Amino acid sequence: MGAIAQNMKRVVVVGAGYAGVAVARSLDGKVDVTLIEKNGLTHHAIASLRSIFDEELRWKHYVPLPKFKSKSSRAVQGEVVEATATDVVLKSGEKIPYDILVIATGSSNNSPAKFDTIVSAPETSKIHEQARAAVETADKILIVGGGPVGVELAGEIHHNFPNKSVTICHSGKTLLSNQGGGP
């Protein structure tokens, strides 16, 4: 190994959501990157609510862990159970050393918008189908929360079932008002 490779910083990124992948890709080739994701794939949450009503789209939400250009970078499927000052320990017992640790485990939300514990497209599809069936059988639908998720869900329901009565209950004066910059 040359002097540059021996002195290369080791960066571990925990979480392969949008932020984790962006960090890992931006550092690829500049440092030794290990991207760790417990599910072994990334759930692409954008348009997840649309998947309730579009079965074909349900299968496109899962994206394999990224490939890296540099041979010194890699993606690993594993669950981090401990982080020390020098390494992370996976549930398997494997220790991965680091100089810099990035925690990018993402946000959480209730399904069917986002899934924290669902790891397969068939499981996600089943939950989306249950949500669709609930919408189909309801005469009136109440959505609590007028943020981006609530507004998107109301729009999808109205688009797919224009005769359904949909009401959004929101704590702000206007929809999306709690998103910064609003009244």
Side-chain angles (χ1 to χ4, degrees), residues 62-115:
Y62 288 90
V63 180
L65 293 178
K67 305 273 189 234
F68 295 102
K69 295 174 188 170
S70 171
K71 291 181 181 178
S72 66
S73 297
R74 66 186 178 131
V76 174
Q77 179 179 357
E79 184 175 350
V80 175
V81 294
E82 181 182 3
T84 69
T86 58
D87 48 37
V88 294
V89 181
L90 303 183
K91 193 173 188 177
S92 67
E94 180 183 0
K95 289 184 178 183
I96 300 175
Y98 66 84
D99 299 305
I100 299 169
L101 175 62
V102 178
I103 306 292
T105 52
S107 61
S108 63
N109 206 334
N110 294 330
S111 64
K114 197 169 184 181
F115 301 94

Side-chain angles (χ1 to χ4, degrees), residues 110-150:
N110 294 330
S111 64
K114 197 169 184 181
F115 301 94
D116 294 328
T117 58
I118 308 282
V119 295
S120 72
E123 290 172 302
T124 301
S125 183
K126 183 178 177 183
I127 289 172
H128 280 157
E129 192 54 45
Q130 291 168 344
R132 181 187 175 91
V135 169
E136 284 178 341
T137 59
D139 293 323
K140 296 178 180 179
I141 299 163
L142 173 65
I143 297 172
V144 179
V149 174

Side-chain angles (χ1 to χ4, degrees), residues 2-117:
I4 294 175
Q6 289 176 339
N7 294 325
M8 188 175 273
K9 292 277 188 200
R10 299 167 301 178
V11 177
V12 168
V13 180
V14 179
Y18 300 116
V21 170
V23 167
R25 283 191 171 146
S26 71
L27 296 174
D28 185 26
K30 300 172 187 160
V31 297
D32 175 4
V33 177
T34 302
L35 176 65
I36 303 171
E37 171 56 47
K38 68 179 179 177
N39 296 322
L41 42 83
T42 297
H43 177 243
H44 187 62
I46 304 294
S48 183
L49 293 173
R50 178 163 286 186
S51 294
I52 295 170
F53 308 103
D54 183 347
E55 187 174 350
E56 197 173 299
L57 184 59
R58 291 178 198 166
W59 304 101
K60 297 177 182 174
H61 281 266
Y62 288 90
V63 180
L65 293 178
K67 305 273 189 234
F68 295 102
K69 295 174 188 170
S70 171
K71 291 181 181 178
S72 66
S73 297
R74 66 186 178 131
V76 174
Q77 179 179 357
E79 184 175 350
V80 175
V81 294
E82 181 182 3
T84 69
T86 58
D87 48 37
V88 294
V89 181
L90 303 183
K91 193 173 188 177
S92 67
E94 180 183 0
K95 289 184 178 183
I96 300 175
Y98 66 84
D99 299 305
I100 299 169
L101 175 62
V102 178
I103 306 292
T105 52
S107 61
S108 63
N109 206 334
N110 294 330
S111 64
K114 197 169 184 181
F115 301 94
D116 294 328
T117 58

